Amino acid sequence: MRGDGRVFRRGNKYWIAYYAPGPDGRSHEQREPGGDTEAEARKLLRHRLREVGAHVLGARKFTGPQQERVRVEELLQNYERDCEIRGLKGLKQIRSHLKHIRAFFGMDRALVVSTARLRDFIAARQQEEAKSATINRELEGLQRAFALAVEAGTLAAAPAFPSLREDNARQGFFERGDFFAVLSKLRELRKTTDVADSLEWFYWTGMRPDEIRSLTWPCFDRETWTLRLHSKDAKTGFGRVIALEGPLRQIIERRIKTRGFGRALIFHRNGKPIGDFRKSWKTACRLAGVTGKTPYDLRRTAVRNMVRAGVPEAVAMRISGHRTRAVFDRYNIVSEKDLREAMVKTAAYIESLPDTTAGVPIAQGQK
C-alpha cells in the first residue's frame, strides 16, 4: 500500500525504497541495500518506516542511512577546514584540543556520540588530571563540529553537551618591586636582554604574547610615535593603535638600536622570533627571590594598573585588546591591599558622619 515502501531485487542483492524527510524538510524517496535475502530487506524496511513514523510524531528526528555512516573524524576535519576558511588566529590551539577528542572517540560514528558518552570523556580526562577549563575547550571544538554538521544537513541533530564549572582561573599579578627585580635579573643574564624588553612591553600594555611577537617596524610611525597592530595579527581580528609615550617610547628607542638590515621584527633574538624562555624566566625569578609567577601574570597586572591609575576602562580595554567586559572583569583582580584600603576608606567615611540622632530618648521605666 501507499506509504508502506517496497522491496526489490537488483542483481544478487535486495534493496528497499521508502519516502522519508530530507534536509529541506520535504519527503524524498530513499533507497538503500536491504541485504542478501528478502526477509532481511523487509526487516530493515519496517525499521525505517518506524523511524519515519517517529519523526512525523515529533518523537525523534529521522536520521537515515547517510547519517548513520558519518564518523566523528569527518566532522572534525570539516570543523578544521571551517576554521582555516575563517582565518581564526587560534587554529594551532584548536588542533591541540582536538587531539584528545580524536584519541577518545577515534572512528566512532557520529550518531553514537550521546550525552552519556560525552560524560565518559569528561571522566576520562579528569582521571588524567586535566583542568575543567581545558576539558571545556576540548568539548567546545567537538560541539562546534556537530553544529556545522547540523547546519549543512549532514546530521539531523546534535547531542546535548555537558559543561564543567571553571574555578581554576589564575589570579596572579605582579607588584611593581617584584617585576622590576625579575626584569633586572633578566637583563643581567646572558642573551636575555631582548626577552626583557618584550616582557617590559607586556607589563605596560597587557598585549597578548603572540601580538607582541608579531609587531614589526612597518607598524611603527616615527612621525607620530605610534605603533599600529594590524587586524590580521590581533587575536580578536580588530587592530588597534598604541601611543608611544614614557616607558613605551624608551623601549622602542632601545629596540631601534638593535634593528639590523632586513630585520622586520621589533622584538627578536638575532633577527629571529623570541622562542621559549622558561628556563631563563625561572632563573631570574629565583635570583630575584620571587616565586609563583608566570609571564602571563603581566597581562592581568597591566589591566589592574591602568584601572588603578584612573584610565577609563574603555581605553584600557583598547590597549590590552580585550573585547568583552566579562574577560576584562576577570583580569581586573582585587588584591588584599585593595581590600584593606577599601575598609580604611569606609571607616573614615563613617567616622565623618554626624553621630547625633533625631529620635527622642525614653527614660528607663517609661512606656
Side-chain angles (χ1 to χ4, degrees):
M1 294 181 63
R2 184 178 177 85
D4 288 346
R6 60 193 177 94
V7 175
F8 60 96
R9 190 167 182 173
R10 179 181 293 174
N12 297 327
K13 296 286 185 179
Y14 283 88
W15 284 63
I16 64 174
Y18 55 94
Y19 277 85
D24 58 358
R26 301 175 61 183
S27 290
H28 301 271
E29 186 181 45
Q30 305 282 341
R31 295 186 180 188
E32 60 177 297
D36 296 327
T37 66
E38 184 178 354
E40 291 177 353
R42 293 196 177 281
K43 181 179 180 181
L44 178 59
L45 178 60
R46 289 194 296 271
H47 174 70
R48 292 299 187 211
L49 293 177
R50 284 196 296 269
E51 288 184 324
V52 173
H55 178 91
V56 172
L57 294 174
R60 187 178 65 179
K61 288 189 176 182
F62 178 77
T63 56
Q66 293 181 345
Q67 297 184 40
E68 290 176 351
R69 291 192 291 267
V70 177
R71 297 188 180 276
V72 173
E73 178 60 27
E74 297 176 44
L75 305 187
L76 298 179
Q77 291 178 5
N78 289 334
Y79 171 51
E80 289 182 344
R81 191 177 302 113
D82 177 74
C83 293
E84 292 174 355
I85 294 173
R86 293 163 57 200
L88 296 185
K89 303 297 181 183
L91 183 56
K92 182 178 179 181
Q93 189 175 29
I94 290 172
R95 284 174 172 158
S96 176
H97 287 156
L98 294 181
K99 288 181 180 178
H100 295 284
I101 296 292
R102 284 188 164 101
F104 186 85
F105 293 98
M107 295 300 292
D108 287 2
R109 297 185 185 275
L111 291 182
V112 305
V113 180
S114 61
T115 303
R117 177 80 167 143
L118 293 171
R119 290 198 179 99
D120 291 340
F121 169 78
I122 292 175
R125 293 291 286 132
Q126 288 176 333
Q127 289 181 354
E128 296 172 356
E129 298 184 353
K131 300 294 185 181
S132 296
T134 300
I135 298 173
N136 284 343
R137 300 297 86 74
E138 292 168 353
L139 287 176
E140 284 174 2
L142 182 60
Q143 186 174 16
R144 178 58 182 163
F146 268 93
L148 288 173
V150 173
E151 290 176 9
T154 306
L155 296 177
F161 278 75
S163 179
L164 297 177
R165 179 178 176 180
E166 299 180 21
D167 294 324
N168 60 337
R170 285 187 56 85
Q171 296 188 353
F173 52 88
F174 267 99
E175 297 302 334
R176 181 176 183 273
D178 289 343
F179 170 68
F180 282 100
V182 174
L183 194 67
S184 175
K185 296 302 179 183
L186 274 173
R187 296 193 186 282
E188 294 174 4
L189 294 175
R190 184 184 177 187
K191 297 181 179 180
T192 55
T193 302
D194 298 321
V195 174
D197 281 344
S198 67
L199 287 175
E200 186 175 359
W201 183 275
F202 197 5
Y203 173 80
W204 289 108
T205 65
M207 292 174 63
R208 297 176 179 86
D210 286 343
E211 295 175 340
I212 296 174
R213 284 191 286 267
S214 71
L215 293 174
T216 60
W217 289 114
C219 303
F220 171 53
D221 186 343
R222 192 156 190 166
E223 290 187 2
T224 60
W225 275 88
T226 57
L227 196 63
R228 179 178 296 276
L229 177 69
H230 295 291
S231 58
K232 66 181 181 62
D233 297 319
K235 181 180 178 181
T236 59
F238 292 86
R240 55 191 187 274
V241 177
I242 305 295
L244 303 176
E245 297 291 342
L248 295 185
R249 180 164 182 151
Q250 295 171 11
I251 295 172
I252 293 299
E253 289 174 343
R254 289 199 302 268
R255 300 313 300 169
I256 290 175
K257 296 178 181 179
T258 69
R259 183 182 181 183
F261 179 76
R263 293 179 178 178
L265 294 175
I266 294 178
F267 298 100
H268 60 86
R269 273 180 170 177
N270 298 322
K272 297 181 180 180
I274 296 176
D276 181 49
F277 55 87
R278 283 176 293 183
K279 185 176 180 181
S280 300
W281 173 264
K282 291 180 180 179
T283 301
C285 287
R286 178 175 55 82
L287 294 175
V290 177
T291 59
K293 302 297 183 184
T294 69
Y296 209 81
D297 291 336
L298 297 175
R299 182 158 165 82
R300 289 176 284 272
T301 301
V303 172
R304 185 201 63 177
N305 289 347
M306 283 188 278
V307 172
R308 283 181 173 180
V311 176
E313 294 177 354
V315 177
M317 291 173 67
R318 183 75 176 171
I319 294 173
S320 63
H322 288 98
R323 293 291 300 172
T324 62
R325 179 58 203 236
V327 176
F328 184 78
D329 286 341
R330 182 184 179 190
Y331 284 155
N332 184 22
I333 300 165
V334 180
S335 67
E336 183 179 340
K337 181 180 178 181
D338 294 328
L339 298 175
R340 292 184 184 278
E341 290 178 355
M343 292 307 302
V344 170
K345 291 179 180 179
T346 302
Y349 168 74
I350 293 176
E351 287 293 330
S352 68
L353 298 176
D355 56 1
T356 58
T357 178
V360 178
I362 298 177
Q364 188 174 5
Q366 292 182 347
K367 294 185 179 179

